[in-house]
Amino acid sequence: MRSLIALMVLLVHPVIAQDLYNKEHSKAFAEYLFKSGQYHLAAIELERITFNEPDNDSLKVMLVRAYSLEQSFDQALRTIQRLYPKTEQLQHPFASLFAYNLIEADETDKAMAMLRVNSTLSPEQKLWYEGFAYLKKNEFKKTLHLFSNTDLQNGSLLKLKTLAQEGAALRLKKPWLAASMSTLVPGTGKLYTGDWKDALISMVSIGLTGYQAYKGFERNGVKSTYGWIYATVGTGFYLGNIYGSVASAKRRNKRNLNRIKAKVDDTFRLHP
Amino acid sequence: MIRLGCTLKLLLLSAWLVGQTPAETFQFGQRALQMQNFALARLAFERLLFFEQDSFAFASASQLGQIARAESKFPEAITWFGRAAILAPNDMEKAGLELQKAAVYLRMNDPMMGQALLLGLPENLPDSLLKYQAFLMGVSYFMQSDFTQSQQAFKKALSINDQAGLQKLDSLFGKLARIKHPKPNLARLLSIIIPGAGQFYAGDIKNGLNSLLLTGGFLTLGIYSMLFYTPFDAIVAIAPWFQRYYMGGYKRAGMIAADRLNQKQNQVFMQILACFNSSEPQSRQ
Amino acid sequence: MTRCIILLLLVFADFKSSAQSEYLYFHTSEMEQCFRKNTPKTKYQIARNNTNELQYLFSGLFLFYKFAFSSQDDNRCNFHPSCSEYGMMAVKKKGVILGMLATVDRLQRCNGLSPELYDIDLQKKLLIDSP
């Protein structure tokens, strides 16, 4: 009997040796998943490892990064709060990650409050996140104001400053001006915002319908059905064009701002 | 005896506690795939693939392909099958993966690409793979409406002893050859001559009436405005609408006829597939 | 002793991959999807879940247009969602007056002259523009 047991222990041994779920294997696998961009799977794996190994900070950082790279910023914030319930005393990597995720989750006020209270982040780091928060909200002048008091040595902060300058230099279209121009002369509002082809189409369609309505009324007076039909359509086009000029200005502004937003997002995705 | 039982239980428990083996991980992944829990299955197979546990690397890659296929992520599935083909232990497994790839291409509605893969397979394959190849070949020919080639390929996929199946296949393809109407081009032509006629020919009364009324309506409106106002008004205000619905009408007539024809052929296709539902290629020796 | 044997079996059981068995069967159910080239019928979710009478009215107009007119023409609109769908969405989102204005503006923009202003839906080959 004993020999049988011994035999079986021998047999079971290779099975034990091949455990894919032990610490080393799991860590290596999680790292692979993270580096190959499978952030969702990496997060599942890392949650398990950090549960078994609560003292390893680099793994926790990787977990939080996985969540924020997966765009689930709320989950990242919850994870940090679970790991370190006292958010005022957060240490270096987690403090900056917390600020970054707060800003990405559109909780700018909370992020600002957190940056004011926190004592572990360096002034430069705080500047970086404050600048990020303002840039995210397209408040370029505030960002420039933020950087105006200090002379910048840090290369990455300088990059933020150039982005802010680029944003401040944008000449945004004024929706009210587009609307009033279109009210006076149909189509000119869109000409002002730069959509000249749409402006041309609007001009022609409003002009033609207006002319047809005029012709109808001239021929049969106020009773002209023909006139009323074209008058209704023309008025619709006219009012729609005013609305469209405002929308066009907003769309153009959004497009220009998005170009800078993409640059800002890229900068921060690389250096959170 | 009691002592032995206790020891055995402890031993089992310890083996269970120590952790999962590659084989267990593989089985776990397969079960997760069966339960359609794709994230879990992916995690298990990705893990096996990462550690390249002898034969499991190949099997995991092909399973990952199956996951992507089940999730309808076809390009990803093809990539995985390609990776598995590199890891494949022998030519037969490689051919099997090519077959899987071809099936995925067919599923992506790309019969040409699927056929290219199928024709590139070696000839000395085991019978089951040859039959599966012939079956996919039949499907791809069918998708390209080449019914005679399709018939030959499907015949190859059935076993020679299955006389009843072969006869049924022949009769089904005979049925297919008799389906000729509605012809899309004829429907178009009819609708060009009289709006709605093509739809009536294809058997779509609702759309035929709709087209007839719509184009007729715009035509009367055009004539009305020409008589009571000016021809200029008719041309500027009504003619574009008439043209839109007249042209749309005959294009739609062609589409409706093509759809009807497809539908009829589809029904026969389903019956042909049903011939293979019960039978399976003989398992390999 | 039986337990012993079971354990031995467990240890020695062949856990070899069953990926090989995948192609022992014709996947007929999968191939059934292959020949469905028919134009799919669209269901207009936008016309559902109306909250007031005006929305019911506009949904009715929209569905009538789709049923009687839109079903008879080529796909003429340059945008996704199409102008009529845009109108329905705009009325629901912005209210009747602003929604109608937005729709009229959209009709004027639906000229296909300025594709550079919009994102492109590569599958549908249409410009993307939602209210």
Side-chain angles (χ1 to χ4, degrees), chain B:
Chain B
M1 206 58 214
I2 292 168
R3 224 175 63 193
L4 177 71
C6 283
T7 333
L8 275 176
K9 268 179 196 166
L10 270 175
L11 209 63
L12 258 177
L13 199 67
S14 67
W16 177 67
L17 275 179
V18 186
Q20 270 172 276
T21 62
E24 280 167 346
T25 309
F26 189 84
Q27 278 193 324
F28 176 70
Q30 276 190 321
R31 205 189 61 187
L33 177 56
Q34 266 172 15
M35 304 307 289
Q36 307 216 327
N37 193 338
F38 296 122
L40 264 187
R42 240 170 230 278
L43 198 60
F45 293 126
E46 282 270 10
R47 183 188 293 276
L48 278 168
L49 191 66
F50 177 64
F51 292 106
E52 291 201 85
Q53 295 286 340
D54 47 48
S55 68
F56 286 108
F58 155 69
S60 304
S62 73
Q63 288 289 312
L64 280 163
Q66 299 292 356
I67 294 172
R69 191 176 173 182
E71 284 184 303
S72 298
K73 294 176 182 167
F74 299 122
E76 196 192 321
I78 285 168
T79 319
W80 275 120
F81 288 136
R83 253 184 98 174
I86 298 169
L87 297 165
N90 52 44
D91 282 353
M92 203 167 64
E93 297 286 8
K94 215 173 259 183
L97 286 163
E98 291 289 298
L99 282 173
Q100 304 282 320
K101 254 203 227 177
V104 174
Y105 272 118
L106 294 184
R107 183 69 183 78
M108 282 165 78
N109 255 322
D110 190 350
M112 298 290 267
M113 195 64 205
Q115 216 169 34
L117 281 179
L118 292 171
L119 289 170
L121 286 174
E123 281 169 11
N124 55 344
L125 289 175
D127 198 36
S128 67
L129 292 195
L130 279 178
K131 283 195 169 140
Y132 191 41
Q133 182 194 13
F135 173 73
L136 291 178
M137 216 48 184
V139 175
S140 72
Y141 275 126
F142 195 96
M143 287 171 84
Q144 298 172 59
S145 307
D146 190 343
F147 298 134
T148 43
Q149 293 273 24
S150 174
Q151 186 179 10
Q152 282 174 7
F154 274 129
K155 265 184 172 175
K156 260 193 236 166
L158 278 181
S159 92
I160 309 162
N161 303 327
D162 189 3
Q163 281 302 327
L166 285 172
Q167 270 176 9
K168 200 178 173 199
L169 210 59
D170 279 339
S171 75
L172 282 173
F173 271 100
K175 203 168 154 190
L176 204 59
R178 268 173 265 127
I179 299 174
K180 280 174 185 159
H181 292 283
K183 287 178 182 160
N185 283 338
L186 183 60
R188 260 173 91 99
L189 190 70
L190 283 174
S191 270
I192 289 172
I193 298 163
I194 306 165
Q199 284 94 326
F200 286 130
Y201 158 69
D204 193 338
I205 308 290
K206 182 233 136 189
N207 272 316
L209 271 178
N210 201 336
S211 177
L212 191 63
L213 284 177
L214 208 58
T215 39
F218 275 111
L219 196 64
T220 19
L221 212 62
I223 293 167
Y224 177 84
S225 60
M226 210 187 287
L227 292 178
F228 288 88
Y229 298 99
T230 55
F232 177 75
D233 284 315
I235 290 164
V236 168
I238 311 294
W241 294 97
F242 174 76
Q243 177 259 1
R244 174 174 179 163
Y245 292 113
Y246 174 71
M247 280 182 70
Y250 70 72
K251 278 184 187 164
R252 290 261 170 182
M255 276 159 67
I256 288 167
D259 271 7
R260 294 271 156 137
L261 192 66
N262 253 356
Q263 220 170 350
K264 283 182 183 175
Q265 290 173 345
N266 257 357
Q267 278 172 0
V268 183
F269 182 59
M270 295 301 151
Q271 286 171 346
I272 292 170
L273 285 183
C275 293
F276 295 89
N277 231 347
S278 50
S279 75
E280 58 183 83
Q282 291 154 357
S283 52
R284 276 177 286 146
Q285 278 80 44

Side-chain angles (χ1 to χ4, degrees), chain A residues 134-135 138-148 164 167-168:
Chain A
Y134 284 136
L135 278 181
N138 296 326
E139 289 171 346
F140 304 112
K141 280 182 185 156
K142 274 192 183 176
T143 323
L144 284 178
H145 182 70
L146 197 70
F147 292 139
S148 63

Side-chain angles (χ1 to χ4, degrees), chain A residues 6 15 20 42 49 53 61 64 68 97 105 125 137 172-174 182 190 192 198 200 203 214 227 229 262 268 272:
Chain A
V15 176
L20 301 186
I49 307 172
E53 206 175 328
V61 171
V64 176
S68 42
L97 278 174
Q125 280 173 318
K137 287 189 148 190
L172 296 180
K173 304 287 179 191
K174 299 176 187 69
S182 270
K190 284 189 179 175
Y192 158 68
D198 285 348
L200 214 65
M203 263 180 202
Y214 166 75
I229 289 173
F268 278 90

